[in-house]
Amino acid sequence: MNTESLEKHFNDKIEEDIRIEPKDWMPEKYRKTLIRQISQHAHSEIVGMLPEANWITRAPTLRRKAAALAKVQDEAGHGLYLYSACETLGVERDDLLADLHSGKAKYSSIFNYPTLTWADMGAIGWLVDGAAIMNQVPLCRASYGPYARAMVRICKEESFHQRQGYEIMLTLCKGSEEQKNMAQDALNRWWWPSLMMFGPTDKDSKHTADSMRWGIKRFTNDELRQKFVDVTVPQADILGLTVPDKDLKWNEESGHYDFGEINWEEFYNVISGNGPCNRERLEARRNAHDKGEWVREAAQAYAEKKSRNKAA
Ligand code: FAQ
């Protein structure tokens, strides 16, 4: 088949919602977009372990400690499924990691904010995992098979994380005045960065049009952000907390909440490497990678020995 008919075959499959698989022909731009999005997503899961890992040793009870440990381990697993999905597109994991460690590759803006109190564990689960699920459930229907399949399992685990985060918030809000204030303070600090997770406005998004056409993204950044606000505001009401947005108002006509303007200058500052914790996060990742070298070498030596024994 020539390029034109290969392209037609690809477009027909997209049109009919038939999954694209690793060995299928795909346009170079589609492949590059997937590598960019999936690797950024994988890096986000791996860097996303750091803010919460900060609280494992200080969790208030054994039950909370066990849940925090399990959550952080889940995130490591998500990163690994996503790196594997990305490798099916013909890239090497070492190269992807090198791009993360050099600061070339992006990861979610949200993980560049500090976790100052235990209530931040609740706010991250409730808001950050909540935003992640809103964005990721539609990715279970992404046109690229390995990505969509990885997302199914990830979403199941993220929804558990969201619920345990909300339960932490609920416990704090039913506790002492000091605990409730801690919960409000965490909401104040995490609300706007959570809205930024959905990316630039549709007007400013570079990749949305192509990604929607190819069935990678099923909703635009603004559509998902609006859905998140609509489901999360009533959850804040149940907690008895105030969303830190003076312009937030139910709009009878549209059937959605109107909300205030996001600080886009802050967003672009964070994604260009100048957020409150960017340097600290990259430093921690580089250190962990260097310290893990002996583990990778041992695993490699073991795999080589096994295959030699098999061949003998
Ligand atoms: N942070 O043209 P668009 C999690 C970049 S959840 C940093 O709109 P696109 C779970 C974007 O990459 C978090 N960069 O791009 C968890 C592009 O840069 P480039 C991860 C951002 O791809 C929970 C440029 O701005 N989730 O980890 C952000 O169409 C709790 C222009 O943007 C995913 O990655 C941002 N917030 O839409 C773990 C989901 N937003 O490459 C631990 C999959 C945009 O041109 C604890 N990804 N940029 O230089 C997506 O759905 C999309 O990639 C979007 C961005 C929606 C993030």
Side-chain angles (χ1 to χ4, degrees), residues 18-299:
I18 298 172
R19 288 258 161 85
I20 308 297
E21 295 296 341
K23 287 187 176 149
D24 295 342
W25 184 90
M26 60 187 84
E28 198 48 24
K29 250 184 112 183
Y30 175 81
R31 198 177 71 85
K32 287 236 162 76
T33 292
L34 281 168
I35 293 172
R36 182 188 60 80
Q37 177 165 327
I38 303 172
S39 62
Q40 286 177 1
H41 194 165
H43 299 328
S44 304
E45 297 282 354
I46 297 298
V47 178
M49 296 163 73
L50 296 170
E52 289 170 291
N54 182 36
W55 278 91
I56 291 174
T57 52
R58 289 175 287 160
T61 65
L62 184 59
R63 176 174 166 260
R64 294 293 189 206
K65 192 193 284 280
L69 257 175
K71 182 175 194 262
V72 171
Q73 276 182 356
D74 285 351
E75 281 146 13
H78 299 172
L80 299 185
Y81 314 150
L82 289 166
Y83 284 129
S84 299
C86 208
E87 283 175 310
T88 65
L89 291 154
V91 283
E92 297 287 332
R93 190 176 304 206
D94 283 348
D95 295 334
L96 299 176
L97 289 174
D99 284 349
L100 172 66
H101 299 151
S102 72
K104 183 175 164 213
K106 289 196 172 71
Y107 57 87
S108 184
S109 48
I110 193 77
F111 302 118
N112 292 305
Y113 292 86
T115 40
L116 304 179
T117 71
W118 170 252
D120 289 15
M121 295 294 93
I124 290 183
W126 172 36
L127 302 172
V128 176
D129 284 278
I133 296 165
M134 194 55 83
N135 165 275
Q136 290 172 9
V137 166
L139 292 174
C140 298
R141 293 190 290 116
S143 55
Y144 188 58
Y147 190 29
R149 287 189 287 274
M151 289 318 304
V152 173
R153 180 152 170 199
I154 292 176
C155 284
K156 283 188 185 151
E157 293 177 351
E158 302 285 33
S159 77
F160 182 73
H161 297 169
Q162 195 271 349
R163 273 175 276 167
Q164 72 98 25
Y166 193 71
E167 199 239 350
I168 292 175
M169 294 302 270
L170 206 51
T171 307
L172 290 172
C173 290
K174 285 197 282 192
S176 65
E177 201 185 328
E178 201 183 348
Q179 285 173 313
K180 188 155 183 193
N181 289 342
M182 252 168 70
Q184 180 65 56
D185 170 63
L187 171 58
N188 293 348
R189 287 181 290 106
W190 290 93
W191 176 255
W192 291 104
S194 298
L195 297 193
M196 293 175 196
M197 285 176 72
F198 295 94
T201 60
D202 293 351
K203 183 170 63 62
D204 292 325
S205 167
K206 293 186 268 180
H207 304 292
T208 296
D210 278 343
S211 292
M212 296 283 283
R213 182 163 57 84
W214 288 322
I216 299 172
K217 282 164 94 163
R218 300 288 178 172
F219 296 96
T220 69
N221 300 355
D222 285 337
E223 284 167 350
L224 291 171
R225 190 167 13 245
Q226 183 68 58
K227 276 173 186 266
F228 175 75
V229 172
D230 290 346
V231 303
T232 311
V233 172
Q235 294 170 354
D237 290 343
I238 293 169
L239 294 171
L241 296 179
T242 308
V243 173
D245 177 357
K246 62 179 177 22
D247 298 318
L248 185 74
K249 202 165 154 256
W250 177 251
N251 183 327
E252 262 323 319
E253 230 168 82
S254 66
H256 296 288
Y257 282 95
D258 292 335
F259 55 95
E261 178 69 13
I262 289 170
N263 182 345
W264 291 113
E265 197 185 322
E266 175 181 324
F267 170 77
Y268 286 110
N269 205 30
V270 173
I271 69 169
S272 53
N274 300 314
C277 299
N278 294 59
R279 283 172 196 81
E280 184 185 329
R281 298 290 184 240
L282 276 191
E283 190 58 31
R285 277 314 318 154
R286 282 192 212 108
N287 258 334
H289 191 73
D290 292 348
K291 284 195 184 136
E293 192 169 355
W294 70 271
V295 179
R296 292 190 296 279
E297 278 174 6

